[in-house]
Amino acid sequence: MVASLDMAHSEIRTLVTKAARGAGLPWGLAEEAGWAADWLSRRALPAADWAAAWLAACCEGRGDPVTFGAALADSLPSGIAAGSTVAIPDGLAGPGYLLPFLHRVAGTFGSVGITDPSGIVVSVEASGHVMFGPAWRDTSRSWEIGPARPLRQWADRAIAAASVIDCLDGLALRTTVPPSAASRNNAGAGTSDND
Amino acid sequence: MTIAERKDTETTIPLRDPDCVMRLLRMGSAHPMRLSFLRVLLRRLKAEGWRFDRPLWEVDSRGVGRAVYRARGPERTYCLVAFAHDLPDEMRSDRVIATAWDATFALVDGEPTTRDLDRLAANVPVQEAGRISARELCLSRANRSVRLFSHVVDRLAEGRQPDIAEIDAVGYLMRTTAVYGSGKFGAADRDQIADRPELQAPFQAEMLSVWLIRAFTVDIAEHLARVKGGDRAVPLARDLRRRLGVGNSTGLGMAPFLVRHPRLLNNWITVRETALARVRALPAVDPSALEGFLAALASATENARSWHSDHPAQIAKLSQLRADLACIADHVATGWEKDGHRPWDALWRWAEARLSMEGQECLVSLMLEPQGAWIDDLSDHLHADEEAGFAIDGALTVARLRDVLARDYGWVGRFDFDDPAQVARFWYVSEEKLEPRLGNRHEEAGQEREQPLGIARAIRDLAAALEGWPEDGPVAAFLLRHPEHRHMVRRIQMLQGLSYAEIRDNVLDHGMLPIDILRCKLAFFGANRFDPRSDRWVRISLFQGQPFPDELAG
């Protein structure tokens, strides 16, 4: 059994796009999810694991970081320009998927951070570098950023657990249509292609 | 400055109107040209003095084994690793749902080690069920043309050359049934290689794969002829070999690509249209260009004569093409004022008034053929930054969005989506090996899982949803309420100013022919002998008439 897969970033992007659509997101937000997955995996962050987390929550009708993050990036600069803070909803699973959208915001305002009463959760620089603070949490509480993993490295490839990919594949399959005789008959050449 | 903007400073001939160029009927009449991707590849390989050899050939008497074809350029080396199989006839299918093939391939970035070869041997023969790595650029497979392959092997084994009519009737020994790149199944991401000059233009790694596969198809046939005929066997004559390309069998999967990659489509079409405008603007007919044009015309006439198809639509097009080519030849000989003002433009305007779309689009290729000095630089503009503009500008006002819709998508008003016939089709992906398919909305299940390819209808829906929204309100607020339109708002924003980005037709219409989309894309690849096997399935040939690796330097 394969424990993990060495994937192209574009594969992760495509898979998460389909999985997000399969989980019920509109196509435009599914595209954002795929883009965010690509952004994360290039930074050696667990794009597939986090996607599986928030998509599972999404399937249960809970809020997701992509819908929130995309809306945040759409509506800023007005919020931060006015010097106000923006409250993030409690209980977002896979909050790492906020980071790519914080990067979009950081492109306008420089470094953008998330804080909580105990201190810095995470910051994202305009360059795209991410710095996790001691208050970083994962609402699912089933993953953690490994202390040995360099947090500011760039990755040539995406690495994901095979079980996570299976989970995403299952959601992605919801974008496909089950086979039928009519479907088969209308596909292909309609004649023998063994000539 | 985009190419489209630059052309206005270089010529005074406007590019053709997108409402003319981006219609399916015309896109479905596209012809390969000197700026097609395989031509771009071969020009570079020749200009840079690339060298080719076959460092490994381990194929047994059944034709089973592996081989390596090496291409060495000034800076980098690429190798095609080929696996030859003994495929039972009953398993041979070109459909994506097939699970075994006559030959399978991977294009390796650099030279494969023995360990790489073993790793690839465990994965490449099973194609989508295996994994390749960032060391590989492409994954592909091919099936034999049963009748021609057997004929060639038998003849060569007997010490005779194959029948030229048999060769021309098919045109290839093997046809590829999929060529995957750009990160598929673990291959290197496109952006890892996109800055290499030799891979910057679109599909260059895929074209290199197919060109080297073409050499393999002849080698494996000659190998089996030697096994069968022993000392009597002879190699395939060079002039006959040149007549062989690589076939390609393509279904619907290729059609959504042009809808999903609008910035790329825009650049391909802009390059071609800019090239045409440059040629039309030339003040005189250069004698060598005239000679090249006439040679291209003769070649196209011969190609049209031997181009065979059983598809009714293609039969009609071929008939038009043959008549138009005769008409062009007659006009060039007797009517064309070659010494007049802008003679190429005069020829073009004559063609627009007299020829069918098929003939007009063929003439585009003929006019470009001898003008390399004026247009070959445009191949540097075929690629596209497809991420540009991905982030939505939420501050855009609804009024501005409406303005852009009116300016760029006025063509959508031609369609009536309340007419069931105009929404009769829906594009979907089947669970069966994720094969892209086209369904009948009014008869088949599955439209709730429709792919978002019906751009014209989506624009109509977006425009309707925008009604009543405050003019000065930001689009961010609209999208909060209507996330279902997000992908279209992004698309509109990304494509501003790109005149050739959209197919200006309704791909949901009951009369839409997917083969029109396929032909446009395949013409940019450089494919000829376009032969539809149904409205949604086509065979073509690549590299037919082009040099083999051992001929390129000569």
Side-chain angles (χ1 to χ4, degrees):
Chain A
M1 170 147 178
V2 179
S4 65
L5 288 179
D6 173 359
M7 304 175 74
H9 299 303
S10 56
E11 277 185 294
I12 285 283
R13 180 176 185 156
T14 301
L15 176 58
V16 171
T17 300
K18 290 179 183 175
R21 176 64 182 165
L25 266 66
W27 277 111
L29 286 169
E31 289 170 350
E32 301 283 2
W35 167 79
D38 183 289
W39 189 97
L40 291 166
S41 77
R42 286 175 191 279
R43 287 158 178 80
L45 294 169
D49 297 52
W50 287 350
W54 71 260
L55 285 168
C58 203
C59 289
E60 295 168 0
R62 292 158 57 192
D64 71 86
V66 167
T67 299
F68 179 79
L72 184 76
D74 286 353
S75 58
L76 293 173
S78 54
I80 285 187
S84 60
T85 59
V86 177
I88 298 173
D90 290 340
L92 284 182
Y97 267 75
L98 291 169
L99 303 179
F101 299 99
L102 292 183
H103 181 207
R104 272 194 201 155
V105 176
T108 305
F109 298 100
S111 184
V112 174
I114 298 175
T115 59
D116 79 356
S118 66
I120 296 172
V121 175
V122 66
S123 66
V124 182
E125 300 166 14
S127 65
H129 281 127
V130 178
M131 181 72 80
F132 289 90
W136 171 258
R137 294 277 186 280
D138 187 326
T139 53
S140 72
R141 300 179 188 276
S142 56
W143 304 302
E144 58 183 20
I145 305 291
R149 181 188 289 270
L151 296 178
R152 297 180 65 154
Q153 75 177 29
W154 290 78
D156 291 333
R157 302 285 284 178
I159 306 294
S163 57
V164 171
I165 297 302
D166 285 346
C167 166
L168 295 175
D169 273 335
L171 287 171
L173 206 58
R174 295 187 190 178
T175 66
T176 66
V177 175
S180 68
S183 174
R184 285 194 197 103
N185 290 342
N186 285 335
T191 56
S192 167
D193 55 12
N194 185 7
D195 57 4
Chain B
M1 182 182 288
T2 66
I3 316 170
E5 290 165 339
R6 205 180 63 175
K7 58 84 192 170
D8 286 331
T9 66
E10 292 179 346
T11 78
T12 52
I13 300 283
L15 303 198
R16 287 193 289 174
D17 187 338
D19 280 327
C20 160
V21 174
M22 301 308 292
R23 302 296 294 275
L24 280 175
L25 266 178
R26 190 172 290 275
M27 293 173 75
S29 301
H31 284 255
M33 53 163 185
R34 69 175 293 128
L35 292 166
S36 293
F37 309 147
L38 70 81
R39 300 283 301 278
V40 170
L41 172 76
L42 292 181
R43 272 201 298 279
R44 176 181 290 278
L45 297 182
K46 186 175 176 64
E48 294 182 347
W50 284 60
R51 291 167 297 139
F52 310 93
D53 61 359
R54 194 186 72 186
L56 179 72
W57 180 264
E58 293 176 350
V59 181
D60 67 17
S61 59
R62 293 178 305 137
V64 176
R66 59 194 185 183
V68 173
Y69 291 78
R70 181 165 51 191
R72 284 185 282 191
E75 289 187 49
R76 281 171 285 269
T77 293
Y78 302 93
C79 287
L80 179 81
V81 178
F83 296 96
H85 310 292
D86 185 14
L87 182 70
D89 277 348
E90 66 273 16
M91 291 188 72
R92 188 174 292 107
S93 169
D94 292 354
R95 296 271 301 280
V96 73
I97 54 176
T99 55
W101 302 269
D102 284 310
T104 52
F105 311 91
L107 185 71
V108 175
D109 188 6
E111 301 201 35
T113 62
T114 303
R115 199 171 167 184
D116 286 329
L117 289 175
D118 292 342
R119 172 176 57 82
L120 294 172
N123 288 278
V124 172
V126 295
Q127 296 280 291
E128 294 94 337
R131 296 288 298 171
I132 53 176
S133 76
R135 285 265 290 151
E136 284 79 55
L137 306 183
C138 293
L139 178 71
S140 53
R141 69 285 191 111
N143 281 337
R144 294 174 186 170
S145 163
V146 175
R147 60 175 169 148
L148 185 61
F149 195 90
S150 300
H151 172 74
V152 169
V153 170
D154 291 346
R155 283 290 185 94
L156 295 180
E158 294 165 3
R160 297 194 294 156
Q161 290 300 319
D163 188 327
I164 193 169
E166 292 282 336
I167 284 187
D168 286 350
V170 177
Y172 51 81
L173 290 171
M174 286 191 178
R175 54 182 174 266
T176 55
T177 67
V179 182
Y180 297 114
S182 299
K184 303 275 192 334
F185 306 106
D189 274 304
R190 165 75 186 159
D191 60 2
Q192 270 187 279
I193 57 171
D195 61 348
R196 301 179 187 180
E198 69 272 22
L199 299 180
Q200 187 188 52
F203 294 102
Q204 294 299 280
E206 289 85 347
M207 292 293 117
L208 179 60
S209 282
V210 173
W211 188 56
L212 295 174
I213 287 171
R214 179 181 179 226
F216 166 83
T217 68
V218 174
D219 287 355
I220 190 75
E222 291 182 337
H223 173 87
L224 289 170
R226 283 193 300 276
V227 169
K228 190 171 186 179
D231 292 342
R232 281 185 308 159
V234 294
L236 184 61
R238 288 289 181 98
D239 59 327
L240 291 179
R241 190 176 70 159
R242 272 269 185 142
R243 302 176 91 93
L244 292 171
V246 174
N248 178 263
S249 224
T250 298
L252 280 178
M254 196 172 261
F257 182 94
L258 290 188
V259 181
R260 291 203 171 109
H261 297 269
R263 294 179 69 92
L264 206 50
L265 174 63
N266 175 75
N267 287 7
W268 298 0
I269 303 285
T270 303
V271 159
R272 187 189 65 194
E273 296 305 311
T274 304
L276 175 63
R278 283 185 183 177
V279 172
R280 287 173 61 192
L282 291 175
V285 175
D286 179 81
S288 65
L290 179 60
E291 190 181 333
F293 174 79
L294 292 174
L297 177 59
S299 175
T301 303
E302 169 58 21
N303 182 60
R305 185 195 62 75
S306 56
W307 182 350
H308 175 79
S309 177
D310 292 325
H311 191 282
Q314 191 61 30
I315 289 171
K317 284 181 168 220
L318 281 172
S319 174
Q320 287 175 332
L321 178 62
R322 289 173 188 134
D324 283 347
L325 285 168
C327 196
I328 293 171
D330 180 60
H331 180 69
V332 166
T334 61
W336 182 25
E337 290 186 25
K338 301 177 190 65
D339 297 325
H341 176 65
R342 284 190 170 158
W344 292 108
D345 185 48
L347 176 62
W348 177 256
R349 283 185 284 107
W350 167 83
E352 280 192 315
R354 294 289 298 275
L355 304 183
S356 69
M357 279 189 204
E358 187 72 39
Q360 289 175 35
E361 296 310 303
C362 182
L363 184 61
V364 172
S365 297
L366 299 180
M367 285 173 58
L368 301 190
E369 189 57 37
Q371 308 289 3
W374 294 101
I375 64 173
D376 282 353
D377 63 300
L378 289 168
S379 64
D380 294 340
H381 301 277
L382 287 164
H383 67 288
D385 175 4
E386 298 193 83
E387 290 301 302
F390 182 85
I392 284 177
D393 173 10
L396 186 82
T397 64
V398 166
R400 176 69 186 137
L401 181 60
R402 283 200 186 108
D403 289 346
V404 176
L405 270 175
R407 183 193 66 197
D408 295 348
Y409 289 90
W411 52 272
V412 169
R414 292 203 311 269
F415 312 117
D416 174 9
F417 296 105
D418 295 325
D419 174 1
Q422 296 195 34
V423 291
R425 304 292 188 204
F426 72 100
W427 297 78
Y428 66 94
V429 176
S430 170
E431 265 186 30
E432 289 183 307
K433 218 176 171 192
L434 304 183
E435 186 176 51
R437 292 180 184 171
L438 189 62
N440 186 328
R441 189 183 308 279
H442 308 306
E443 295 173 7
E444 293 177 50
Q447 67 163 312
E448 71 282 1
R449 296 186 176 190
E450 181 173 7
Q451 295 288 306
L453 302 178
I455 300 303
R457 186 186 59 173
I459 289 289
R460 189 279 312 257
D461 293 346
L462 170 62
L466 282 168
E467 282 178 16
W469 277 80
E471 294 278 300
D472 57 351
V475 79
F478 171 76
L479 289 177
L480 265 183
R481 180 76 65 83
H482 289 289
E484 71 275 18
H485 294 299
R486 186 176 187 86
H487 66 295
M488 289 309 300
V489 170
R490 184 198 327 283
R491 188 176 181 100
I492 292 162
Q493 290 190 354
M494 284 181 85
L495 302 185
Q496 285 193 70
L498 305 183
S499 304
Y500 299 115
E502 297 284 18
I503 297 172
R504 298 191 175 195
D505 253 314
N506 173 20
V507 301
L508 307 180
D509 190 89
H510 76 291
M512 181 271 307
L513 293 178
I515 50 176
D516 286 336
I517 307 175
L518 301 182
R519 180 159 167 187
C520 177
K521 188 180 179 198
L522 289 164
F524 274 95
F525 278 20
N528 55 17
R529 301 297 175 93
F530 187 83
D531 179 15
R533 293 308 178 97
S534 75
D535 291 348
R536 54 192 74 180
W537 186 262
V538 64
R539 283 195 190 161
I540 49 99
S541 183
L542 292 164
F543 292 104
Q544 200 167 24
Q546 301 294 339
F548 274 74
D550 60 350
E551 297 172 317
L552 195 68

